[in-house]
């Protein structure tokens, strides 16, 4: 008998359960019963063999997809259209505002963004968004008052700092919103650009790995961020994979935030105690990994396999040490810095922006031995593909 996947949400006292589609399930049961009756009448067992072949083919396809996700790219998706004049950036200050400095991903992007803009004679001023609308608004306002050449934000939705974003553009300052979903109320313009996030692709990669690893029978707890609308959109992309590939999987959502990370251990432990059948616990972003692991330990629930998204060096070292983590997905944060710089330079020069893509890769205990785990490797971008993308961007900007 087939049963539909249940989805629950636990955030402190809030639990949301997806309604099981009973009529659809009942129809499936009836059809299955008729098919089985037919099989009994057919001594060849052809229908049963067909079902087995179909299942095996699906498993093989999923395994192939997961294997592809575990490999680096042959080439990074660097734009091809050059920027004819980047002189407007020389001597200028660019503001970089991550939603929170607690995320190691933003630290990597900050370093490569700084290197990229240094190559055109510009500097970077960093302002920590601290995960709160007040601090984020203050940072954007600070950049506006400093007459920044451009304001580059990371994982900050437009709505959180709307007034400040509006004021910056009104002052003629270009704004880059990276690692976020596009806000339809504030579409891209001559002063506003969106850089796509790898959040959905990471969630899809983790969902595929968990489905394959569990034999399509996983009970998963996801510590999902609440810093804006994007984290839920990303998780929904992973849930679509479970819907398709793992209908018997159960997914529990525990909402967590950057501003209240101290609450993550207790909420994680509580979710596990309410459902001791959970076997996989996911930290959506690596910044939640340590408190998530603490919560698992506090619960006393055993046989938990940890996974994380937005993985950086520390998480991969933990994966290699086989400390809680069994799989991790990350996006090319080093490449992101050069992409952000390219977008800012194009806005300043009045050049149309290309469609950017940030690569994502899946890492597991079985494949991590082939990855060089050093800060130099992390900053070079070699985990995701060849390391010549800085030279390619420099050529586009006419920089030697």
């Amino acid at each position: 008998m087939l049963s539909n996947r249940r989805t629950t949400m636990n955030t402190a006292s809030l639990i949301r359960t997806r309604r099981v589609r009973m009529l659809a399930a009942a129809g499936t049961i009836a059809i299955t019963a008729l098919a089985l009756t037919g099989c009994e009448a057919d001594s060849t067992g052809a229908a049963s063999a067909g079902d087995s072949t179909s299942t095996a083919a699906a498993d093989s396809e999923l395994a192939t997809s997961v294997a592809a996700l575990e490999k680096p790219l042959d080439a990074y998706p660097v734009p091809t259209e050059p920027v004819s004049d980047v002189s407007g950036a020389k001597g200028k200050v660019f503001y970089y505002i991550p939603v929170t400095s607690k995320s190691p991903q933003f630290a990597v992007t900050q370093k490569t963004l700084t290197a990229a803009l240094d190559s055109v004679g510009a500097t970077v001023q960093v302002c920590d968004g601290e995960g709160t609308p007040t601090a984020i608004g203050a940072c954007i306002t600070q950049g506006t008052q400093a007459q920044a050449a451009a304001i580059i934000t990371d994982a900050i939705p437009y709505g959180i700092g709307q007034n400040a974003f509006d004021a910056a553009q009104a002052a003629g300052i270009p704004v880059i919103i990276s690692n976020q979903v596009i806000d339809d109320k504030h579409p891209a313009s001559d002063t506003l650009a969106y850089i796509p996030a790898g959040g959905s692709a990471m969630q899809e990669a983790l969902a595929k790995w968990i489905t394959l690893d569990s034999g399509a029978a996983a009970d998963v707890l996801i510590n999902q961020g609440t810093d804006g609308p994007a984290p839920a959109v990303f998780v929904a992309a992973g849930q679509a994979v479970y819907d398709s590939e793992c209908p018997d999987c159960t997914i529990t959502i525990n909402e967590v935030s950057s501003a209240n990370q101290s609450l993550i251990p207790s909420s994680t432990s509580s979710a596990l105690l309410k459902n001791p059948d959970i076997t996989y616990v996911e930290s959506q972003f690596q910044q939640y990994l340590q408190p998530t692991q603490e919560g698992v330990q506090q619960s006393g629930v055993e046989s938990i396999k940890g996974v994380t998204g937005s993985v950086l060096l520390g998480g991969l070292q933990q994966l290699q040490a086989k400390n809680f983590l069994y799989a991790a997905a990350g996006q090319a944060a080093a490449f992101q810095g050069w992409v952000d710089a390219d977008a800012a330079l194009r806005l300043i020069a009045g050049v149309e922006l290309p469609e950017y893509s940030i690569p994502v890769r899946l890492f597991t205990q079985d494949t991590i031995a082939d990855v060089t785990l050093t800060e130099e490797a992390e900053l070079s971008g070699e985990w995701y593909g060849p390391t010549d993308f800085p030279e390619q961007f420099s050529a586009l900007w006419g920089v030697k």
Side-chain angles (χ1 to χ4, degrees):
M1 182 175 110
L2 298 177
S3 62
N4 286 16
R5 176 175 64 82
R6 296 177 292 109
T7 302
T8 61
M9 176 175 291
N10 170 33
T11 172
S13 61
L14 177 63
I15 300 177
R16 185 179 64 197
T17 304
R18 176 178 293 181
R19 182 175 300 171
V20 179
R21 295 185 290 274
M22 296 302 294
L23 291 177
T28 302
I29 294 170
I31 293 171
T32 303
L34 289 173
L36 289 174
T37 301
C39 289
E40 291 172 356
D42 183 357
S43 60
T44 63
S48 177
D51 290 342
S52 177
T53 300
S54 177
T55 300
D59 289 345
S60 176
E61 183 177 349
L62 182 61
T64 300
S65 178
V66 169
L69 288 166
E70 294 173 333
K71 298 178 181 178
L73 297 173
D74 293 330
Y76 271 98
V78 176
T80 57
E81 192 67 27
V83 184
S84 58
D85 184 12
V86 297
S87 60
K90 188 174 183 179
K92 299 293 181 64
V93 176
F94 290 70
Y95 263 66
Y96 175 64
I97 309 171
V99 66
T100 172
S101 62
K102 294 178 181 178
S103 170
Q105 176 177 307
F106 304 144
V108 173
T109 298
Q110 173 194 325
K111 290 178 181 178
T112 55
L113 172 66
T114 300
L117 290 175
D118 178 69
S119 72
V120 297
T123 58
V124 173
Q125 175 66 47
V126 180
C127 188
D128 183 5
E130 299 178 5
T132 67
T134 300
I136 289 168
C139 283
I140 299 170
T141 299
Q142 182 179 323
T144 302
Q145 293 174 343
Q147 298 181 331
I151 295 174
I152 301 167
T153 67
D154 214 329
I156 297 174
Y158 197 104
I160 285 182
Q162 180 172 336
N163 292 336
F165 278 132
D166 289 346
Q169 293 177 81
I173 298 175
V175 171
I176 309 291
I177 295 180
S178 64
N179 270 319
Q180 263 297 332
V181 294
I182 295 175
D183 187 335
D184 292 334
K185 296 180 180 179
H186 305 281
S189 66
D190 292 340
T191 56
L192 176 64
Y194 291 91
I195 307 299
S200 291
M202 286 189 289
Q203 289 297 309
E204 291 168 350
L206 291 173
K208 288 180 179 180
W209 181 84
I210 288 174
T211 298
L212 187 65
D213 184 69
S214 68
D219 202 326
V220 188
L221 171 66
I222 301 176
N223 277 353
Q224 173 190 295
T226 58
D227 299 324
V233 173
F234 301 155
V235 169
Q239 289 179 328
V241 173
Y242 288 119
D243 286 338
S244 172
E245 306 290 344
C246 194
D248 290 331
C249 287
T250 299
I251 312 301
T252 301
I253 304 299
N254 180 45
E255 291 186 341
V256 299
S257 72
S258 300
N260 294 296
Q261 288 201 177
S262 61
L263 301 178
I264 295 177
S266 59
S267 66
T268 302
S269 176
S270 177
L272 288 171
L273 292 174
K274 289 178 181 177
N275 184 3
D277 292 331
I278 289 173
T279 49
Y280 295 85
V281 175
E282 177 197 323
S283 165
Q284 185 177 17
F285 307 122
Q286 186 180 303
Q287 69 205 60
Y288 305 143
L289 177 57
Q290 182 178 351
T292 295
Q293 186 174 358
E294 290 177 7
V296 172
Q297 293 169 343
Q298 289 177 12
S299 73
V301 177
E302 300 179 352
S303 302
I304 294 293
K305 291 187 175 182
V307 300
T308 189
S310 296
V311 72
L312 275 299
L313 179 59
L316 291 181
Q317 289 172 333
Q318 187 171 335
L319 177 66
Q320 184 184 56
K322 298 183 178 180
N323 176 9
F324 181 65
L325 288 180
Y326 284 74
Q331 66 183 61
F335 181 69
Q336 177 89 51
W338 285 83
V339 166
D340 289 350
D342 185 76
L345 293 174
R346 290 177 190 272
L347 282 183
I348 292 173
V351 176
E352 183 178 356
L353 271 65
E355 291 187 9
Y356 297 105
S357 176
I358 309 300
V360 165
R361 184 179 176 186
L362 178 68
F363 305 89
T364 68
Q365 287 187 356
D366 295 332
T367 61
I368 193 62
D370 297 328
V371 181
T372 302
L373 299 183
T374 64
E375 290 184 5
E376 291 77 14
E378 180 177 54
L379 288 173
S380 75
E382 69 175 66
W383 297 344
Y384 298 89
T387 60
D388 59 350
F389 60 86
E391 290 78 11
Q392 294 180 52
F393 276 110
S394 294
L396 292 177
W397 305 338
V399 176
K400 295 183 180 179

